[in-house]
Amino acid sequence: MAEISAQMVKELRERTGAGMMDCKRALSDSNGDMDKAIDLLREKGLAAAAKKAGRVAAEGLVEAYIHGGGRIGVLVEINCETDFVAKTPEYKEFCRDIAMQIAASNPEYIRREEVPEEVLEHERAIARAQALNEGKPEKIVDKIVDGRVEKYYKEVCLLEQPFIKDTDKTVQNIVTEKIAKIGENITVRRFARYQVGEGIEKKQCNLAEEVAAMTK
């Protein structure tokens, strides 16, 4: 099996416009053969989907999802290019799947570009301290930090999370596949997630202490 370098993935992305994970998978499946990887992406419609990504998507739906008897609620706006597509059952089901994903996985951002630099610096500092405390050699600490930051992206960025209905794919993979199938650009624009009691400090009452206080 040929080693798939970051440079190879970058080159394939530039040549096809397909997503990073799709490019990496295509190169792996083609044993590093660039031309075969391009053919694989074209066969899946992913290269064509990438070309649609720059088109304006101003139609779509705001999908609502309530889970757990009203304990978790999600609103998400997902845009497409035409009202016709927005009204199709397939698109509505897709939007509901994304809302369910948000309810289940609780992302903080849609894509990695939205993560504030100060948040990343904080995560890097924690990852570096952890690596050093674990006794990792200084010369490999930077690689360890980079790996843990990548893991952080997968936890907090919606598009990089494993899709709840098929964990072999990311949410971005699902979006890209839907673009290729529908033939329109699709973007997740914004979302809000609410959970009952979230952010409220919950204090457990000590009955014995309360009774003692009342008898004083």
Side-chain angles (χ1 to χ4, degrees):
M1 178 67 70
E3 182 178 352
I4 309 303
S5 68
Q7 183 58 40
M8 292 170 67
V9 175
K10 180 181 178 183
E11 180 183 346
L12 185 57
R13 287 191 70 185
E14 290 174 349
R15 291 178 64 176
T16 65
M20 180 179 69
M21 295 306 298
D22 293 316
C23 290
K24 188 173 182 180
R25 188 177 293 108
L27 284 166
S28 178
D29 291 345
S30 65
N31 199 27
D33 188 305
M34 188 66 65
D35 291 333
K36 287 183 179 179
I38 291 172
D39 287 342
L40 285 173
L41 289 172
R42 291 183 64 188
E43 287 169 8
K44 294 179 180 179
L46 298 177
K51 294 178 181 178
K52 298 181 178 71
R55 301 199 317 221
V56 175
E59 298 294 337
L61 289 177
V62 173
E63 178 66 25
Y65 176 72
I66 305 297
H67 181 76
R71 297 195 61 81
I72 297 175
V74 170
L75 287 173
V76 58
E77 179 182 349
I78 304 179
N79 300 125
C80 57
E81 295 180 44
T82 66
D83 187 51
F84 173 80
V85 164
K87 291 178 179 178
T88 61
E90 181 179 1
Y91 187 79
K92 291 177 180 179
E93 181 182 359
F94 164 73
C95 292
R96 184 167 181 81
D97 284 346
I98 299 300
M100 290 173 61
Q101 174 80 31
I102 294 167
S105 300
N106 194 17
E108 298 178 41
Y109 311 96
I110 296 174
R111 50 190 61 82
R112 66 171 59 193
E113 290 82 7
E114 297 175 1
V115 183
E117 187 58 35
E118 59 268 25
V119 173
L120 285 178
E121 287 304 319
H122 180 68
E123 290 300 321
R124 289 190 184 102
I126 292 175
R128 176 172 289 278
Q130 286 176 338
L132 292 173
N133 289 338
E134 291 166 2
K136 304 297 184 184
E138 180 72 36
K139 63 182 179 181
I140 67 168
V141 166
D142 286 343
K143 285 187 177 180
I144 293 173
V145 170
D146 289 342
R148 289 180 179 175
V149 169
E150 285 296 316
K151 183 180 179 182
Y152 173 74
Y153 281 135
K154 291 177 173 60
E155 291 173 352
V156 303
C157 298
L158 172 65
L159 295 180
E160 304 204 21
Q161 291 180 337
F163 183 49
I164 55 173
K165 289 188 172 182
D166 184 352
T167 55
D168 290 334
K169 298 178 180 179
T170 65
V171 175
Q172 180 62 68
N173 293 149
I174 300 304
V175 172
T176 302
E177 289 174 2
K178 193 62 63 176
I179 291 172
K181 185 174 182 180
I182 290 177
E184 289 192 5
N185 187 23
I186 296 172
T187 59
V188 182
R189 186 183 177 208
R190 54 187 172 176
F191 70 86
R193 182 183 185 276
Y194 303 94
Q195 184 166 340
V196 172
E198 190 172 37
I200 300 175
E201 184 178 355
K202 298 179 180 179
K203 297 180 179 179
Q204 291 186 343
C205 296
N206 186 312
L207 184 58
E209 289 180 0
E210 284 191 3
V211 171
M214 291 172 64
T215 57
K216 287 182 180 179

